[in-house]
Amino acid sequence: MAFNASVRNFIPISELHPNTTQAKVVGVVIGKTDARGFPDRKNLGSERFTFGFTIKDSPDHSINVSSWGSEEYIIGLCGSFRTGDCVVIENPLVTPKDPEKEERFCPATPSFYRLLMTETHSQIRLCADVEEENRLLPLLHVPVKDPRDFYTLGDINANGQSLDGFINILAAVRSTGEQKFFTTSDGRKGQRMEVKLFDDTVNSFPLVCWDRETIQFMQSLTPKETVLFISDARVKFDTFRNGMTATATTKTIITINPDTPEANQLFNFAKEFSESGALDETDNQSGDDIPLDSITDVLTVSQLRSKTQDTLDAFYAITYAFISALPLDTPSKVVRNRCARCRVPVAEDVMVCTSFSCAGQGQELEMFSGFDLLLDISDHTGTLQSCYLSGTVAEKTLGCTAEEYVNLSEVGQTALKWRFLLERCKIYLKVQPAPKFRSGWRISILSCSLADSVEVKQSLETEAL
Amino acid sequence: QQKCPVLQMKSVSEKTLRILTVVIEGMRHWSQFKNKAPMLFELFATLDSAVTDGKYSAKHFLMRTGRDVVSCVFFENDHELPKIFRGLVHRCMGNYDRQSDTFTCVSVRLASRYEQKNSQEAIRASDEEMRQVVQSLSEI
């Protein structure tokens, strides 16, 4: 039978030994690094390339694989499969681990050995055996560390600066940020993406990813419906944000929706919490989410005003205007506490949620805080007062979370204010009818960033036509 | 009845703050309508003096556009005046007082080359807008 034949052919990771020859190993890729180049010491001026990955073939066994070679070979090999694929490795070299290097740069594995792939002898291909795949794929949901050995986000924040090193985290994905590209001082290209995590203790916690591979992997996840067991995440105190952050390094293995009771419980919480609208509302208080690049109308303040007179429908627009009022030095006007159950704003000194519709009425209040601020925007044609800037849009604009903002010193808060106050910004707006408001309209900011002067000039030229 | 709030809005809009990008001459001119149309000014100008200390943590200096020079004051209330450089173009935001012929700045920083270059269009747009405002004021 084909199934038996394949089982016979593959050597289990647990039985690999330096004397093994002609080995054929199958496993599911649970982690993978980007291809990197290093100056070749033997051959000055040229570079050697390498990348590594980790495979697993049973709940308890995994092994690291690495490959060195020419740029062409490594880039090709590295691009031929991704995390989550099942691969067959033929003829690798089984060598003992270099304890020091493995410890520092590679994921922890129970095996004493590692596999080396060489260009001349070894081969790797995707596993085409469906039955083998069916056996291997569930392993993707088995954490590589003790599933009960994790920190909640609250634990991490509570420990603060004293926690500096590698730990395991169990948390849900709240949102994935934008991928940003940069060039380092030595001319290498890099990228960075920030994922926001949450759990039942903390509303938003940053996980920073640097590897293209990790970024792609994270981008494929569904926010608010994915729980991650992040083993060996690097946590440290970020003095710029004045808060704790986690980073995915080459040691880190991320397990999606782990098959453990704790993860299941968190998954249910995350689902309920996001279905209650709790996360949406902070993400985007104006309701539906339309992609920013679909907004193309550029209007001045007075054009925006006259448009509200011409229509009774909600509309979107871009305006290049100055922020003329921004209460960032008055925390009480910037951050609002809400009941974690029903999202109704609550006063800090009240110990229960006073909303009649709240499911948690009478129970002890659980709060979380988020940005909720009103600002004025002005240009040469006038001012729009009380525009809403809240939730993640505010976080993105200001570059910090509400918690981080509250922890800023007074000087820090003022400095943040002056980064935007009276500066010309490119502001994406949603304007919707709101009979309760004095103006008759509710104006929400969907995105706000310092404007590019060339774009400002072009917008003013078009206005003149 | 539905039109009511709309009309209200229009009257409000004409009285709301405008931020005008100007040269010194324009700032002196448009400020005479300050009572009818509240305004703040964005001025791209060259620092034309040393920065000297005054009373109440004030900093005094001169700014120049073309042949016009205006004396400026910056009060270090909640933030310090950043380092500014004589002979370089800065971007100043503030309020112009006609009586004392003083530009009270609340934000001063170096202007980038692009900002300087592209500010011409903003100045033109602000002047055009103010001409229309003044015309509508005289009609009333």
Side-chain angles (χ1 to χ4, degrees), chain A residues 295-335:
Chain A
I295 305 173
T296 51
D297 268 357
V298 178
L299 302 176
T300 63
V301 167
S302 69
Q303 285 168 337
L304 271 160
R305 282 180 188 288
S306 47
K307 191 154 180 182
T308 59
Q309 296 177 29
D310 298 341
T311 177
L312 289 169
D313 298 327
F315 62 92
Y316 297 89
I318 299 172
T319 184
Y320 292 92
F322 301 89
I323 294 181
S324 49
L326 182 66
L328 273 184
D329 41 13
T330 321
S332 62
K333 288 187 177 169
V334 175
V335 174

Side-chain angles (χ1 to χ4, degrees), chain A residues 190-435:
Chain A
Q191 60 284 313
R192 180 185 193 278
M193 187 183 77
E194 207 170 290
V195 177
K196 291 270 191 268
L197 304 173
F198 75 103
D199 65 7
D200 48 357
T201 59
V202 171
N203 202 259
S204 177
F205 188 93
L207 169 72
V208 182
C209 306
W210 299 93
D211 262 28
R212 267 194 306 275
E213 188 71 31
T214 318
I215 291 174
Q216 275 179 10
F217 176 74
M218 295 306 264
Q219 282 173 334
S220 68
L221 307 178
T222 320
K224 296 163 197 165
E225 284 177 29
T226 310
V227 171
L228 303 177
F229 188 93
I230 310 166
S231 66
D232 283 327
R234 173 100 169 79
V235 290
K236 61 170 187 214
F237 184 79
D238 184 333
T239 41
F240 174 70
R241 302 168 195 251
N242 202 17
M244 297 298 288
T245 58
T247 309
T249 71
T250 50
K251 254 180 95 63
T252 309
I253 296 278
I254 300 173
T255 307
I256 319 171
N257 292 333
D259 213 354
T260 68
E262 294 80 10
N264 197 33
Q265 211 177 332
L266 180 57
F267 180 83
N268 289 335
F269 166 82
K271 220 171 131 208
E272 220 174 277
F273 194 53
S274 66
E275 273 168 9
S276 73
L279 293 171
D280 304 347
E281 217 181 314
T282 36
D283 277 353
N284 180 8
Q285 285 216 307
S286 51
D288 51 338
D289 200 358
I290 83 155
L292 288 183
D293 45 15
S294 68
I295 305 173
T296 51
D297 268 357
V298 178
L299 302 176
T300 63
V301 167
S302 69
Q303 285 168 337
L304 271 160
R305 282 180 188 288
S306 47
K307 191 154 180 182
T308 59
Q309 296 177 29
D310 298 341
T311 177
L312 289 169
D313 298 327
F315 62 92
Y316 297 89
I318 299 172
T319 184
Y320 292 92
F322 301 89
I323 294 181
S324 49
L326 182 66
L328 273 184
D329 41 13
T330 321
S332 62
K333 288 187 177 169
V334 175
V335 174
R336 201 175 328 184
N337 292 314
R338 289 172 184 272
C339 168
R341 292 194 184 84
C342 68
R343 297 224 5 103
V344 166
V346 287
E348 195 142 357
D349 47 351
V350 182
M351 293 318 288
V352 290
C353 179
T354 49
S355 163
F356 289 113
S357 58
C358 181
Q361 237 191 341
Q363 294 175 37
E364 198 182 334
L365 179 66
E366 287 172 40
M367 301 189 299
F368 69 90
S369 50
F371 281 119
D372 228 339
L373 59 152
L374 291 172
L375 41 91
D376 292 358
I377 55 182
S378 309
D379 65 6
H380 55 293
T381 66
T383 295
L384 287 175
Q385 281 160 333
S386 304
C387 303
Y388 278 88
L389 177 67
S390 56
T392 49
V393 179
E395 285 178 7
K396 270 186 204 156
T397 304
L398 303 173
C400 62
T401 64
E403 276 112 313
E404 287 160 358
Y405 162 79
V406 170
N407 289 326
L408 283 178
S409 64
E410 222 172 281
V411 178
Q413 291 176 350
T414 306
L416 188 61
K417 177 182 86 169
W418 281 106
R419 258 175 61 198
F420 296 95
L421 185 58
L422 295 178
E423 292 293 339
R424 178 114 48 178
C425 293
K426 181 182 193 179
I427 304 170
Y428 289 77
L429 295 170
K430 180 180 185 180
V431 184
Q432 57 194 137

Side-chain angles (χ1 to χ4, degrees), chain A residues 302 305 308-309 312 322 324 329 378-383 385 414 417-418 421-424 438-441 453-454 456-457 460-461 463-464, chain B residues 2 5-6 8-10 12-13 16-21 40 42 78-79 91 93 106-107 109 112 114-115 117-118 121-122 124-126 129:
Chain A
S302 69
R305 282 180 188 288
T308 59
Q309 296 177 29
L312 289 169
F322 301 89
S324 49
D329 41 13
S378 309
D379 65 6
H380 55 293
T381 66
T383 295
Q385 281 160 333
T414 306
K417 177 182 86 169
W418 281 106
L421 185 58
L422 295 178
E423 292 293 339
R424 178 114 48 178
R438 200 157 40 149
S439 64
W441 294 85
S453 58
V454 178
V456 173
K457 179 184 169 223
L460 291 166
E461 280 169 352
E463 182 212 337
Chain B
Q2 258 189 351
V6 170
Q8 254 176 16
M9 250 184 76
K10 181 144 191 174
V12 171
S13 83
T16 60
L17 176 78
R18 291 164 202 275
I19 295 184
L20 305 176
T21 308
L40 272 180
E42 181 188 44
D78 68 345
H79 67 301
R91 174 207 184 254
M93 292 291 298
V106 289
S107 162
R109 59 167 175 79
S112 77
Y114 294 105
E115 274 183 310
K117 216 176 82 187
N118 295 313
E121 193 58 35
R124 188 206 52 75
S126 297
E129 168 74 14

Side-chain angles (χ1 to χ4, degrees), chain A residues 433-462:
Chain A
K436 277 190 204 162
F437 288 65
R438 200 157 40 149
S439 64
W441 294 85
R442 178 192 168 104
I443 304 171
S444 323
I445 295 173
L446 306 180
S447 164
C448 173
S449 55
L450 294 179
D452 176 78
S453 58
V454 178
E455 279 184 41
V456 173
K457 179 184 169 223
Q458 285 165 351
S459 76
L460 291 166
E461 280 169 352
T462 354

Side-chain angles (χ1 to χ4, degrees), chain B residues 38-49:
Chain B
M39 56 186 82
L40 272 180
F41 298 103
E42 181 188 44
L43 177 70
F44 290 90
T46 309
L47 179 61
D48 204 30
S49 72

